Every structure is written in structure tokens, then in C-alpha cells.
Amino acid sequence: MREYLRYWQTIWLVLTEGRNKPLLWRLSIWCATFFCVFALLGADFALDSMSFRPGDVSDRDVLAPRSISYVDVVKTERLESDVLNSVPTVYDLDGEVLRKAERRVTEIFDAARLALRETNVSKREELLNSMAASSLPKEFLARLARADAELLEQGEQVSKQALRLILLRGVREEEVEVVRKQLPSETALLTENAAAASLANETARLLMAPNFFQNAKETERRRQQALGSVEPVRETIKKGQMLVRRGDVITPEHIQAMRESGLYHDTDMRKGQFAGLAVLAALVLGLGTFFLYKFIPTVYQDPKRMLLLSLIVTVTLFLGKLAHLYSDYAAPLAAGVLLSTVLLGAKTGFMISVVLGALFGVIAGFDLRPVLMIILGSWMGVFALSRIDHGYSLPRTGIWMALVQAVTVLAIGLLDDLAPGYIGVQTVIAVTNGIASAVITIGLLPYLEQTFSITTPIKLLDFSRPNHPLLQRLLFEAPGTYHHSVLVGNLAEMAAERVGADPLLVRVGAYYHDVGKIKRPFFFSENQVEGENPHDKLAPSLSTLIVTSHIRDGVELCREYGLPQAIVELIEQHHGSMLVSYFYQRACSEEHGECLEEEDFRYEGPKPQSKEAALLMLADACEASVRSLGKPNQNRIEMMVRKMIKERLHDGQLDECPLAFRDLEAIGDVFVRVLSSMFYTRIEYPDNLRDLERRKGKNGNSLKQPAGKDGSDPGDGGHSEEGAGESGRTLRA
């Protein structure tokens, strides 16, 4: 027990020490993802494996888990064997055997005719034996010795005719004895002389030899040619088809069908399949991780985001595994792609679509059709979510995905020449899959956002609505700050698109960047009405403390109202460590000003760490400074904008953000153009419009009119509504 506890204490110590080691965490996350994926992919091999042998009786019904088409090895071998057996053996006729036999007949009968000179039969036999061949039987030599010249002549002719007749037909080696038995009937047909036929029969029997020999090379060539024309016997099995019934005797055909369906594995084969599966899973996950390292370092370098990505891949693949039991086209893998796109970006979404498609291809039995539908539908989802502009983007994305997946399934069905009813069913499943993927994404997104503290565009859009409670408070309690924040948001958003920052994040961050001023709104100039400035009665150090405290107050309010960390960081960094110069100079001009520390009059920071925070700092400063100009024109606005950017650059406020000098130039150009359009020069009107109208009336001017029933001032009909409004406010003042 103690050893067991010590073991787990060691593991916990390693994990605790590795918290600050991103490489160790990434490796741990990758290994955990690999084992989960391997378990999901290898479940079929481990659970559905059969161990039947030929001749066994099946104790269960075995159904095909998926549709497959394969070559039936047993039937193909039978067909090939039948074709090979049907190819006849090729024989070559050897003509030299016949010629040799005819020469031998001539030699034998010539010797017999020479032996006729001897009158003694015994001497004839001795002479024949020496002249013809000692290999001939003595009985045959004795018959030749007793024959006369006429019998020898007829016997020779019949012997040659019989040999020619038979050998020209061809005699195989195994047919020699059969032919010898047929010789009497053959020779009897050639002559009516029984003695001559008997002599010829005996001669041909002795000289009969095979002359029809097998041509092995040509025979093999013809067999291979016939074998090449044999098409393999293919068997097609539909998903759910009965492979083996309970009580059936297992045959080699059954075993092959189960093996092709992934239900039967020998021990050695199973080991090989598990090894191949492990290599494939490691390769897919390894290439996906390398893609993150090379092209999406923000995800790769953050263990928390890597863990999120691992969770998305594992859960989505598990849902696909469950859907696979019903239909491969029902696997909602696009939900993982949508979650990755919304939470981690479009590049991550594209990468995950390929990873999930490749892994699901193994589950689907390497069927390309559902994989193609999933990848194309997922890409459509990434395209639709690349710019989220309103809260209904995910439902709309689901509709687009359903449309693309339906078209893909329809095209594949037509290409495979499938039945119209089957195509219709699969198309409906594909449409349902696309919509269900969006629904799953909508359901899981809030939990993943909250758990992993990720700010998504959808969440930012919710916080940018004017009816948000905190923005409502800002509007009613600090209206000047609210107006200033809206202008800063528009200004920063325009510049963000030029420098590759997040326009939505910087705009929403600008709405809340000064929300801390709610607690003391009248200590800030934009909220002060005519009257005394409260800072006139305070020490510069206290005024500085009040002004800089709006950062801490804003952070507290944001956390109270549940704003995301990305907004809080923008609030903390939008002033950096800038000097509150007005109160610092005022303090220096007072007594003991030389004893002051400049650090006491600076914001706490930190300095901007991102492009968005730097943009917010610059937009805030430029909007406020241009607003303070008495008579703004384009030249004065441009000088002020360049001055604000230059001051913050020289003060080191932009040292820790990824902005380049060309980015600052582009930001300045955008600020000048937008601010020039905001603070345009208005037409100046007379101080007392009523006196002017009165003078016109005395001079008999035809424009003089009595006041209308609605109480409007006379004589404002020729001016714009905005100008009339300002004139009215001047008169009321």
C-alpha cells in the first residue's frame, strides 16, 4: 500500500513540477490525445473480432458492420483451377521416329532376304541374328528364317504401312501398349494374307515407339494466357447483411467475408493491424501538431489551447463513432471544425477538418464518400464563420453546411449509380448532419468559452450591444465618457483592419476602456458641466491618484459584470505607464516640486502587449487631444495625431507590442482621415438671430414671418437642421 501511494505521489510531483514547462505539457496532451484516438479507432478490432475456424459451428448471427466489396479468394481460385484444367496439353509430333522405324523395317527385311541364300533354316537364323540385331527376339528371327521371298515382301510393305498409319496420328508414351494391342486389327485391314499380316503385326509391335511429346513451354504459355483472361470473383456485402447465421458450419468463404468486414483477425494479423493503426494515428496527429507549430504558433505555444483542441478532437471523434453505428453520413464531425474555428481561428478549423476526416476514414472502413462529404461541409462552415457579423451566424452556417453536404452526397450517389431512394435517404441524413453540427456547436460553445477563458467573436458581439447593463450605466452616469468611448472604438476599428489586428476586439475593448470613470464621473473633463473643476481644490498627487484609479475601477467593474479577460487586459494596458503630465507639471510648479518622483505620477501599467492594446492607447490619446483643439482643421489634426504617436513611441509605451514603424505610419494616416471627418468646421451663425430678423423686418424684408404654432424660431428655414439646433441653443443660453 505504501509503495502504491509513493507511486502516485511521484506522478503528482512530476505533473506539479511540469506546470511551468509548456513542452512537457504539450507532450502529455499529445500522448493523451493519441491514446484516446487509438482506442476509438481500434475498438472494432478489439470488440468485434471473431475466432472461428473452418468446420466450427457458429454460436451467433454475424452481421456486416459496413458495406464492402472484395475479391473472393476461394471462388477465384476455383475458377482459375477450372480454367487451367480446361487448357489442353500441347504435344509436338516427332517425324524422326517414323523415319527411323521405316529404316529399321528395311534393314530387317533386307537381312532376311539375304539369308534366303542359305538352305538350312538354322544357318539362316544365325545369319539373321548377326546381320539384323541381337536385340530382336529369337521367335521373330525364326519366323523370318522360315518365310519365303513373297511373304517377306508383303510383310515389309504392310509393316511400313501400319507404322506410318499409326505414327502419323501420334502416339503418346502412355498409349504405346494400347496401340500395340490394336495392331492386329490395323494390319488385318491392310492385307488379306494372314501370314503377311501376322508378320507385319509382329514387326510393327517390336518397332512401335512414342512420337507425340509434350511441349511444356507452350502449354504453360497457353495456361498463363488463359489465366490472365480470368476476372477475379468480387463479392459485394451491404451494411447489415447476414454473413453467418447461428448454427451454420463455418467455411473458408465465411472466414474471408468476416475478415474483409473487419470482424475476423488472426493473432498475427491483429498485431499487425494494431501496429498499422498506431502508426497512422501518430502520423495524422503528428502532422497536425507540426502544422500548429509552423503556421499557428499562438495555439501551439499555449498548453491550455492545445488541451482544448485535444478535447474537441476526442469528443467529436467519439460522436462520429456513435453515429457510425447508424450511418457514416450522420457523423457530426463538422461540429468539431466549427468549434475550432470559433474558438481558435479559421486556420485551426481547416487543419482540424483534415485531421478529423482522415481519422474518421479509418472508422468508416476507408470509405472515401463520407469523408469527402465531411471535409467539404466543414470547409463551407469555416468560410461562413471567417467573419462573424451578427449573432445568427452559427444557424446560418449550419444551413450552408447542410446544403453543401447534400449536394456532395447527391453527386456521389449519381457517380456510383446508386438507387434514387437510397440517394434520397442519405441526402436527408446529410442535411440533418449539417444542421445538427451547428446545434451541437451552439450548445457546447458557452461551456468551452467559460472553461478555457476564450473570448470568441460571438461573445464580443454580445458585449458590444448598447443595451448591455454596464454600457447602460456608462451612458447614464458618464455620458461624455460613453460618447468618447464610441468615437475611440470607431477610430481604433478602422485602423485595426490596416495593421492586421482584431477589429471587433479593439472596438468592444474601446467601449469599456474608460468604464471605471463611472465611480467618479465628474472628475473627468468630458463629464464636467459648466462650473468649477473639482481638481482645482485637490492636491496634484491626489488628483493623479483619482485619475489613474479609473483603471483599477474599470477592471473591478468588468469582473463584476463577467466581461472576458481579453477586455480586462485592454483596460489595464490602454494607458500603459504613461505620465499624467498635467498634474505632474502642476506639482512641479508648487513648493518642494524638485523633490517629486516622476514614477508617482505614472499609470501602473502594464504597457500594451498586443496590437489591439496599442491601437486603443493611440486612438484614446488622439481622439482626446484633437477634441481639445479650438478650431480643428486637417493640418492641425495631423500635427496633433503625429505628436501623440511620437510621444508614446519615445516614451517606450510601444516597446512590448508587435507594431512596426510602417504600422504606426498607417495608423496615423487612418486617424487623420477619420478625425478630420469627425471634427469638421461648422458654419458660424450670428450671436443674436432675433435681432437680425428684427432689422430685416424694419427694412421690409419679405422673409419676415410670424412665429409658427410649433414654437420654432422664425427665419431658420434656410439653414440645416443641425445648424438651427445649435442656433437655438445659443439663443437659449
Side-chain angles (χ1 to χ4, degrees):
M1 185 67 179
R2 292 180 179 178
E3 294 180 356
Y4 181 78
L5 292 175
R6 191 180 301 112
Y7 171 76
W8 283 108
Q9 288 174 355
T10 304
I11 294 178
W12 176 252
L13 181 63
V14 171
L15 293 177
T16 304
E17 292 178 350
R19 284 181 178 177
N20 297 322
K21 298 179 181 179
L23 181 59
L24 178 61
W25 275 108
R26 283 195 294 268
L27 182 60
S28 302
I29 293 169
W30 190 93
C31 291
T33 307
F34 169 77
F35 284 117
C36 291
V37 169
F38 180 77
L40 288 173
L41 298 184
D44 289 339
F45 301 129
L47 298 178
D48 297 334
S49 178
M50 305 294 175
S51 57
F52 294 126
R53 297 181 181 277
D56 292 346
V57 178
S58 176
D59 59 351
R60 73 195 78 173
D61 291 335
V62 180
L63 303 179
R66 55 181 174 270
S67 298
I68 58 171
S69 178
Y70 65 95
V71 175
D72 191 322
V73 177
V74 177
K75 291 183 179 179
T76 302
E77 289 179 352
R78 289 176 182 171
L79 178 61
E80 290 176 349
S81 177
D82 293 340
V83 170
L84 290 177
N85 293 333
S86 65
V87 176
T89 304
V90 178
Y91 288 89
D92 291 336
L93 186 65
D94 189 355
E96 184 63 25
V97 174
L98 175 59
R99 289 190 291 272
K100 184 177 180 181
E102 290 179 341
R103 288 196 299 270
R104 185 63 174 158
V105 170
T106 302
E107 291 175 359
I108 291 173
F109 281 93
D110 285 347
R113 279 189 285 270
L114 290 175
L116 288 177
R117 298 174 184 176
E118 295 289 339
T119 57
N120 191 329
V121 176
S122 299
K123 291 184 178 181
R124 286 183 185 176
E125 291 181 6
E126 293 176 0
L127 182 61
L128 284 173
N129 189 27
S130 62
M131 293 178 60
S134 59
S135 60
L136 294 175
K138 293 182 179 180
E139 293 81 0
F140 178 69
L141 294 177
R143 290 190 64 179
L144 288 176
R146 291 192 296 270
D148 55 14
E150 183 179 357
L151 181 60
L152 291 175
E153 184 65 26
Q154 291 182 1
E156 180 182 4
Q157 295 299 324
V158 174
S159 297
K160 289 182 178 180
Q161 290 177 4
L163 288 171
R164 178 176 293 275
L165 181 64
I166 294 173
L167 291 177
L168 285 179
R169 293 200 300 261
V171 178
R172 300 184 180 92
E173 186 174 359
E174 64 272 13
E175 298 174 344
V176 172
E177 292 300 326
V178 177
V179 172
R180 285 174 178 171
K181 293 179 181 179
Q182 296 174 352
L183 277 174
S185 60
E186 296 285 347
T187 54
L189 296 174
L190 296 176
T191 181
E192 296 179 354
N193 189 338
S198 177
L199 181 61
N201 177 45
E202 187 69 17
T203 304
R205 189 181 69 81
L206 292 173
L207 299 180
M208 182 61 65
N211 70 335
F212 215 35
F213 300 103
Q214 181 179 350
N215 188 336
K217 185 176 181 181
E218 179 63 19
T219 302
E220 183 63 23
R221 187 188 70 79
R222 294 187 182 185
R223 287 187 174 184
Q224 293 300 325
Q225 184 177 3
L227 196 62
S229 63
V230 176
E231 293 290 337
V233 179
R234 299 195 67 87
E235 292 289 340
T236 301
I237 296 177
K238 298 294 184 181
K239 183 176 181 179
Q241 180 177 336
M242 187 73 70
L243 298 181
V244 180
R245 296 185 182 276
R246 184 175 182 178
D248 287 351
V249 177
I250 302 299
T251 63
E253 289 88 343
H254 289 149
I255 291 179
Q256 186 182 6
M258 289 187 291
R259 179 181 286 117
E260 296 293 341
S261 301
L263 300 177
Y264 184 90
H265 305 283
D266 297 330
T267 302
D268 295 337
M269 181 185 299
R270 193 181 304 176
K271 290 180 180 178
Q273 288 180 331
F274 278 128
L277 190 63
V279 172
L280 182 60
L283 183 62
V284 173
L285 295 178
L287 290 177
T289 305
F290 182 75
F291 183 89
L292 294 176
Y293 166 76
K294 193 71 175 176
F295 301 105
I296 319 177
T298 55
V299 176
Y300 176 80
Q301 295 171 2
D302 188 352
K304 184 168 63 175
R305 297 194 175 195
M306 289 287 289
L307 180 60
L308 171 62
L309 199 59
S310 171
L311 184 63
I312 290 174
V313 170
T314 305
V315 172
T316 308
L317 201 61
F318 176 73
L319 294 177
K321 181 77 173 179
L322 295 179
H324 164 71
L325 301 176
Y326 173 70
S327 173
D328 291 334
Y329 292 103
L333 298 186
V337 178
L338 296 183
L339 288 171
S340 302
T341 303
V342 175
L343 295 170
L344 302 174
K347 287 184 180 179
T348 308
F350 275 115
M351 186 271 293
I352 289 299
S353 68
V354 177
V355 169
L356 289 176
L359 295 176
F360 186 75
V362 179
I363 296 177
F366 300 97
D367 188 355
L368 180 62
R369 294 172 293 183
V371 173
L372 189 62
M373 182 207 73
I374 289 169
I375 291 179
L376 294 180
S378 299
W379 287 359
M380 184 67 246
V382 176
F383 294 148
L385 289 178
S386 58
R387 288 186 64 88
I388 299 178
D389 51 2
H390 54 75
Y392 293 97
S393 292
L394 278 173
R396 184 185 61 185
T397 299
I399 295 175
W400 279 110
M401 288 170 52
L403 178 62
V404 171
Q405 292 184 168
V407 172
T408 304
V409 171
L410 180 62
I412 291 174
L414 295 176
L415 185 63
D416 289 346
D417 195 22
L418 300 176
Y422 179 80
I423 297 176
V425 171
Q426 298 303 325
T427 302
V428 172
I429 293 176
V431 171
T432 307
N433 180 6
I435 298 175
S437 297
V439 172
I440 293 173
T441 303
I442 295 172
L444 295 178
L445 189 58
Y447 299 100
L448 295 177
E449 287 178 341
Q450 187 69 25
T451 303
F452 292 90
S453 301
I454 294 179
T455 304
T456 63
I458 295 177
K459 181 185 288 188
L460 289 175
L461 285 171
D462 290 336
F463 286 114
S464 69
R465 300 182 187 280
N467 59 354
H468 188 276
L470 190 54
L471 288 182
Q472 288 286 302
R473 283 191 60 186
L474 183 63
L475 175 61
F476 288 110
E477 298 179 28
T481 300
Y482 177 85
H483 180 65
H484 159 74
S485 299
V486 172
L487 294 179
V488 170
N490 296 335
L491 191 64
E493 182 181 26
M494 294 293 294
E497 296 180 354
R498 291 285 300 273
V499 297
D502 188 342
L504 181 58
L505 175 60
V506 75
R507 174 164 64 87
V508 179
Y511 288 170
Y512 293 92
H513 80 287
D514 279 343
V515 75
K517 294 180 180 180
I518 289 177
K519 292 194 174 183
R520 303 175 189 85
F522 297 108
F523 282 87
F524 300 92
S525 59
E526 66 267 20
N527 299 313
Q528 294 171 359
V529 295
E530 293 183 3
E532 295 182 357
N533 188 341
H535 289 287
D536 295 339
K537 300 178 181 180
L538 300 177
S541 58
L542 182 57
S543 295
T544 301
L545 183 61
I546 292 173
V547 170
T548 57
S549 65
H550 83 277
I551 300 294
R552 291 191 301 273
D553 296 337
V555 170
E556 292 176 0
L557 284 171
C558 286
R559 288 174 177 166
E560 178 183 345
Y561 281 84
L563 268 71
Q565 181 63 25
I567 302 298
V568 174
E569 292 176 355
L570 292 181
I571 294 175
E572 292 175 334
Q573 301 171 19
H574 83 276
H575 277 299
S577 59
M578 283 293 296
L579 177 68
V580 187
S581 57
Y582 174 78
F583 295 114
Y584 176 68
Q585 293 173 3
R586 179 178 158 187
C588 290
S589 63
E590 295 180 354
E591 187 177 1
H592 305 297
E594 65 277 0
C595 300
L596 297 176
E597 292 290 339
E598 185 179 295
E599 294 299 324
D600 296 336
F601 291 85
R602 285 185 176 272
Y603 285 91
E604 296 179 358
K607 296 178 181 180
Q609 305 294 308
S610 62
K611 289 183 178 181
E612 291 78 14
L615 274 172
L616 183 55
M617 168 185 277
L618 298 176
D620 183 31
C622 292
E623 196 279 336
S625 60
V626 170
R627 181 184 293 275
S628 66
L629 294 176
K631 294 182 178 181
N633 55 44
Q634 185 167 358
N635 291 334
R636 298 182 66 186
I637 290 174
E638 182 169 5
M639 290 178 60
M640 182 60 72
V641 168
R642 303 297 180 187
K643 177 184 176 183
M644 292 295 104
I645 295 176
K646 187 176 181 181
E647 284 181 356
R648 279 142 186 81
L649 179 63
H650 289 172
D651 194 35
Q653 300 301 315
L654 306 179
D655 291 349
E656 299 177 12
C657 70
L659 287 178
F661 285 110
R662 62 177 178 273
D663 295 332
L664 296 178
E665 186 70 23
I667 291 170
D669 294 340
V670 173
F671 284 0
V672 170
R673 185 175 68 254
V674 176
L675 290 171
S676 298
S677 63
M678 287 182 180
F679 298 100
Y680 57 85
T681 304
R682 300 179 183 272
I683 300 174
E684 295 184 3
Y685 297 98
D687 292 337
N688 197 333
L689 189 59
R690 294 182 184 275
D691 292 342
L692 179 60
E693 292 296 337
R694 189 178 299 111
R695 287 197 298 271
K696 288 182 179 180
K698 291 180 180 180
N699 294 332
N701 194 305
S702 61
L703 293 175
K704 181 179 179 181
Q705 296 178 359
K709 294 182 180 181
D710 58 353
S712 61
D713 294 326
D716 63 350
H719 304 294
S720 66
E721 182 180 353
E722 187 176 356
E726 292 194 357
S727 176
R729 286 195 294 272
T730 302
L731 291 174
R732 285 192 295 272

